[in-house]
Amino acid sequence: ARFVSTPQVAITDNDAWTEEIEKVRGATLVVDVHQNWTGPCVAAQSTLKKIVFDHGDKPLKMFTADASKLTALHDYAGPCEPLFMVIKDNDRVEIKGLDAPKLRAAILEKLGVKE
């Protein structure tokens, strides 16, 4: 069995959010929005790794973002509940809480994968 890491890139400032999220077209973007005191959702890693393993040949990018550091995520600062954004061409789906089946379904839908 090969180990597949989930290459999540941390978005640490507003410029990176603009470049990596707002300006990107054609790729499915998954953002794990977290609080500075909680960090990214560890429990979601197995779900994300499986998607990367199964669909790594598709335009898929994974990110983490601290809500307290980014203007675009200011409204999400505070609660400790996990929040995932699945974005393609600025069309965004939000999944609150760790609902692995819902997260997986949203990512696959944006990738255009039928199961």
Side-chain angles (χ1 to χ4, degrees):
R2 64 184 178 145
F3 175 76
V4 179
S5 64
T6 306
Q8 289 177 299
V9 175
I11 295 177
T12 57
D13 59 44
N14 292 317
D15 289 342
W17 179 267
T18 300
E19 290 300 315
E20 296 285 2
I21 305 299
E22 293 177 357
K23 289 186 176 179
V24 172
R25 297 290 175 268
T28 297
L29 314 173
V30 180
V31 184
D32 179 348
V33 179
H34 63 86
Q35 308 307 314
N36 61 351
W37 46 272
T38 60
C41 183
V42 175
Q45 292 303 305
S46 62
T47 297
L48 297 176
K49 283 179 186 175
K50 176 140 179 50
I51 292 168
V52 169
F53 185 86
D54 292 344
H55 304 287
D57 59 327
K58 296 182 176 50
L60 173 65
K61 295 183 177 184
M62 308 245 180
F63 300 94
T64 62
D66 179 343
S68 67
K69 292 183 178 178
L70 302 171
T71 304
L73 300 178
H74 179 76
D75 291 346
Y76 301 98
C80 65
E81 181 179 40
L83 173 69
F84 296 89
M85 294 180 176
V86 183
I87 306 164
K88 184 169 183 184
D89 300 331
N90 277 339
D91 180 36
R92 179 169 77 193
V93 174
E94 295 179 4
I95 293 112
K96 293 182 179 176
L98 180 57
D99 185 338
K102 193 172 181 181
L103 176 59
R104 178 178 167 76
I107 294 170
L108 295 183
E109 180 182 332
K110 294 283 187 210
L111 286 173
V113 174
K114 305 275 189 240
E115 286 196 311

